[in-house]
Coordinates of all heavy atoms in Angstrom, one line a residue:
P210 N 0.4 7.8 -5.1 CA 1.5 6.8 -4.9 C 2.0 6.2 -6.2 O 1.2 6.1 -7.1 CB 0.8 5.7 -4.0 CG -0.6 5.8 -4.4 CD -0.9 7.3 -4.6
A211 N 3.2 5.7 -6.2 CA 3.7 5.1 -7.5 C 3.0 3.9 -7.9 O 2.9 3.5 -9.1 CB 5.2 4.8 -7.3
R212 N 2.3 3.2 -7.0 CA 1.6 2.0 -7.4 C 0.4 2.3 -8.4 O 0.0 1.4 -9.1 CB 1.1 1.2 -6.2 CG -0.1 1.8 -5.4 CD -0.4 1.1 -4.1 NE 0.6 1.2 -3.1 CZ 0.6 2.1 -2.2 NH1 -0.3 3.1 -2.2 NH2 1.6 2.2 -1.4
S213 N -0.1 3.5 -8.4 CA -1.2 3.8 -9.3 C -0.7 4.5 -10.6 O -1.5 4.8 -11.4 CB -2.2 4.8 -8.6 OG -1.6 6.0 -8.3
L214 N 0.6 4.5 -10.8 CA 1.2 5.1 -12.0 C 1.0 4.1 -13.2 O 1.4 3.0 -13.1 CB 2.6 5.5 -11.8 CG 3.4 6.0 -13.0 CD1 2.9 7.3 -13.4 CD2 4.9 6.2 -12.6
K215 N 0.5 4.6 -14.3 CA 0.3 3.8 -15.5 C 1.2 4.3 -16.6 O 1.2 5.3 -17.1 CB -1.1 3.9 -16.0 CG -2.2 3.5 -14.9 CD -2.1 2.1 -14.4 CE -3.2 1.8 -13.4 NZ -3.0 0.4 -12.8
L216 N 2.2 3.3 -16.9 CA 3.1 3.6 -18.0 C 3.1 2.4 -18.9 O 2.6 1.3 -18.6 CB 4.5 3.8 -17.4 CG 4.7 5.0 -16.6 CD1 6.1 5.0 -15.9 CD2 4.6 6.3 -17.3
G217 N 3.8 2.5 -20.1 CA 4.0 1.4 -20.9 C 5.0 0.4 -20.4 O 5.5 0.6 -19.2
E218 N 5.2 -0.7 -21.0 CA 6.0 -1.7 -20.5 C 7.4 -1.3 -20.2 O 8.0 -1.6 -19.1 CB 6.0 -2.9 -21.5 CG 6.8 -4.2 -21.0 CD 6.7 -5.3 -21.9 OE1 5.9 -5.3 -22.9 OE2 7.6 -6.3 -21.8
A219 N 8.0 -0.6 -21.1 CA 9.4 -0.1 -20.9 C 9.5 0.9 -19.8 O 10.4 0.9 -18.9 CB 9.9 0.4 -22.2
G220 N 8.5 1.8 -19.8 CA 8.5 2.8 -18.7 C 8.3 2.2 -17.4 O 9.0 2.6 -16.4
S221 N 7.4 1.2 -17.3 CA 7.1 0.6 -16.0 C 8.4 -0.1 -15.5 O 8.7 -0.2 -14.3 CB 6.0 -0.4 -16.1 OG 4.8 0.3 -16.4
A222 N 9.1 -0.8 -16.4 CA 10.3 -1.5 -16.1 C 11.4 -0.5 -15.6 O 12.1 -0.9 -14.6 CB 10.8 -2.3 -17.3
A223 N 11.5 0.6 -16.2 CA 12.5 1.6 -15.8 C 12.2 2.1 -14.3 O 13.1 2.1 -13.5 CB 12.5 2.7 -16.7
V224 N 10.9 2.4 -14.1 CA 10.5 2.9 -12.8 C 10.7 1.8 -11.7 O 11.1 2.0 -10.6 CB 9.1 3.5 -12.8 CG1 8.6 3.8 -11.4 CG2 9.0 4.7 -13.7
A225 N 10.3 0.5 -12.1 CA 10.5 -0.6 -11.2 C 11.9 -0.7 -10.7 O 12.1 -1.2 -9.5 CB 10.0 -1.9 -11.9
R226 N 12.9 -0.4 -11.5 CA 14.2 -0.5 -11.0 C 14.6 0.5 -10.0 O 15.7 0.3 -9.3 CB 15.2 -0.4 -12.3 CG 15.1 -1.6 -13.2 CD 16.3 -1.5 -14.2 NE 16.1 -0.4 -15.2 CZ 15.5 -0.5 -16.4 NH1 14.8 -1.7 -16.7 NH2 15.4 0.5 -17.2
L227 N 13.8 1.4 -9.7 CA 14.1 2.4 -8.6 C 13.6 1.9 -7.2 O 13.9 2.5 -6.3 CB 13.4 3.7 -8.9 CG 13.8 4.4 -10.2 CD1 13.1 5.8 -10.4 CD2 15.3 4.7 -10.3
F228 N 12.8 0.8 -7.2 CA 12.3 0.2 -6.0 C 11.6 1.3 -5.2 O 11.9 1.4 -3.9 CB 13.4 -0.5 -5.3 CG 14.1 -1.6 -6.0 CD1 15.3 -1.4 -6.6 CD2 13.4 -2.8 -6.0 CE1 15.9 -2.5 -7.3 CE2 14.1 -3.9 -6.7 CZ 15.2 -3.7 -7.4
L229 N 10.7 2.0 -5.7 CA 10.0 3.0 -5.0 C 9.1 2.5 -3.9 O 8.5 1.4 -4.1 CB 9.1 3.9 -6.0 CG 9.9 4.6 -7.1 CD1 8.9 5.4 -8.0 CD2 11.0 5.5 -6.5
I230 N 9.1 3.1 -2.8 CA 8.4 2.6 -1.6 C 6.8 2.6 -1.9 O 6.2 1.7 -1.6 CB 8.7 3.4 -0.3 CG1 10.2 3.2 0.0 CG2 7.9 2.9 0.8 CD1 10.6 4.2 1.1
T231 N 6.4 3.7 -2.5 CA 4.9 3.9 -2.7 C 4.4 3.0 -3.8 O 3.2 2.9 -4.1 CB 4.5 5.3 -2.9 OG1 5.1 5.8 -4.1 CG2 4.9 6.2 -1.7
A232 N 5.3 2.2 -4.5 CA 4.9 1.3 -5.5 C 4.5 -0.1 -4.9 O 3.8 -0.9 -5.5 CB 6.0 1.0 -6.5
K233 N 4.8 -0.3 -3.6 CA 4.5 -1.5 -2.9 C 3.1 -1.6 -2.6 O 2.5 -0.6 -2.1 CB 5.4 -1.7 -1.7 CG 6.9 -1.6 -2.0 CD 7.8 -1.7 -0.8 CE 9.2 -1.5 -1.1 NZ 9.8 -2.4 -2.0
P234 N 2.5 -2.7 -2.6 CA 1.1 -2.9 -2.1 C 1.0 -2.6 -0.6 O 2.0 -3.0 0.1 CB 0.7 -4.3 -2.5 CG 2.0 -5.0 -2.6 CD 3.0 -4.0 -3.1
V235 N -0.1 -2.2 -0.1 CA -0.3 -1.8 1.3 C -1.5 -2.5 1.9 O -2.5 -2.6 1.3 CB -0.4 -0.3 1.5 CG1 -0.7 0.0 3.0 CG2 0.8 0.5 1.0
L236 N -1.3 -3.1 3.1 CA -2.3 -3.6 3.9 C -2.5 -2.8 5.2 O -1.5 -2.6 5.9 CB -2.1 -5.1 4.2 CG -3.1 -5.7 5.2 CD1 -4.5 -5.9 4.4 CD2 -2.6 -7.1 5.6
Y237 N -3.6 -2.1 5.4 CA -3.8 -1.3 6.6 C -4.2 -2.2 7.8 O -5.1 -3.0 7.7 CB -4.8 -0.2 6.4 CG -4.3 0.8 5.4 CD1 -4.7 0.7 4.0 CD2 -3.5 1.8 5.7 CE1 -4.2 1.5 3.1 CE2 -3.0 2.7 4.8 CZ -3.4 2.6 3.4 OH -2.9 3.5 2.5
V238 N -3.5 -2.0 8.9 CA -3.8 -2.8 10.1 C -4.3 -1.9 11.2 O -3.5 -1.0 11.7 CB -2.5 -3.5 10.7 CG1 -2.8 -4.4 11.8 CG2 -1.8 -4.3 9.6
A239 N -5.6 -2.0 11.4 CA -6.3 -1.1 12.4 C -6.1 -1.7 13.8 O -6.7 -2.8 14.1 CB -7.7 -0.9 12.0
N240 N -5.3 -1.1 14.6 CA -5.0 -1.6 16.0 C -6.0 -1.0 16.9 O -6.0 0.2 17.2 CB -3.6 -1.2 16.4 CG -3.2 -1.8 17.8 OD1 -3.8 -2.7 18.2 ND2 -2.2 -1.2 18.4
V241 N -6.9 -1.9 17.4 CA -8.0 -1.4 18.3 C -7.8 -1.8 19.7 O -7.0 -2.6 20.1 CB -9.3 -2.0 17.7 CG1 -9.6 -1.6 16.3 CG2 -9.3 -3.5 17.8
A242 N -8.8 -1.3 20.6 CA -8.8 -1.7 22.0 C -9.5 -3.1 22.1 O -10.2 -3.5 21.1 CB -9.6 -0.7 22.7
E243 N -9.3 -3.7 23.2 CA -10.0 -5.0 23.4 C -11.4 -4.9 23.4 O -12.1 -5.9 23.1 CB -9.5 -5.7 24.7 CG -8.1 -6.2 24.7 CD -7.7 -7.0 25.9 OE1 -8.6 -7.7 26.5 OE2 -6.5 -7.0 26.3
S244 N -11.9 -3.7 23.7 CA -13.4 -3.6 23.7 C -14.0 -3.3 22.3 O -15.2 -3.2 22.1 CB -13.8 -2.3 24.6 OG -13.1 -1.1 24.1
D245 N -13.1 -3.3 21.2 CA -13.6 -3.0 19.9 C -13.0 -4.0 18.9 O -12.5 -3.7 17.8 CB -13.2 -1.6 19.5 CG -13.8 -1.2 18.2 OD1 -14.9 -1.7 17.8 OD2 -13.1 -0.4 17.4
L246 N -13.0 -5.3 19.3 CA -12.3 -6.3 18.4 C -13.0 -6.5 17.0 O -12.4 -7.0 16.1 CB -12.3 -7.7 19.2 CG -11.5 -7.7 20.5 CD1 -11.6 -9.1 21.1 CD2 -10.1 -7.4 20.2
K247 N -14.3 -6.1 16.9 CA -14.9 -6.2 15.6 C -14.7 -4.9 14.8 O -15.2 -4.9 13.7 CB -16.4 -6.5 15.8 CG -16.7 -7.9 16.4 CD -18.2 -8.2 16.4 CE -18.4 -9.6 17.0 NZ -19.9 -9.9 17.1
G248 N -14.0 -4.0 15.4 CA -13.7 -2.8 14.6 C -14.9 -1.9 14.3 O -15.1 -1.5 13.1
E249 N -15.7 -1.6 15.3 CA -17.0 -0.8 15.0 C -16.9 0.6 15.4 O -17.8 1.4 15.3 CB -18.1 -1.5 15.8 CG -18.4 -2.9 15.4 CD -19.4 -3.6 16.3 OE1 -19.6 -3.2 17.4 OE2 -20.1 -4.6 15.8
S250 N -15.6 1.1 15.8 CA -15.5 2.5 16.2 C -15.4 3.4 15.0 O -15.1 2.9 13.8 CB -14.2 2.6 17.0 OG -13.0 2.5 16.2
P251 N -15.6 4.7 15.2 CA -15.4 5.7 14.1 C -14.0 5.7 13.5 O -13.8 5.9 12.3 CB -15.8 7.0 14.7 CG -16.8 6.6 15.8 CD -16.2 5.3 16.4

C-alpha cells in the first residue's frame, strides 16, 4: 500500500497530491455474531 512508501520530503509531497486510497490509514472492523462479542473465533 502507498502508506508504507518511503520517499524524501519533496517526493512524498508530490505523491500526497494524488490522494491515493491506499495511503490512508486503515482500521479493521471485525463484524462478529452475538455469540462471539469478545472476538474469540478463528
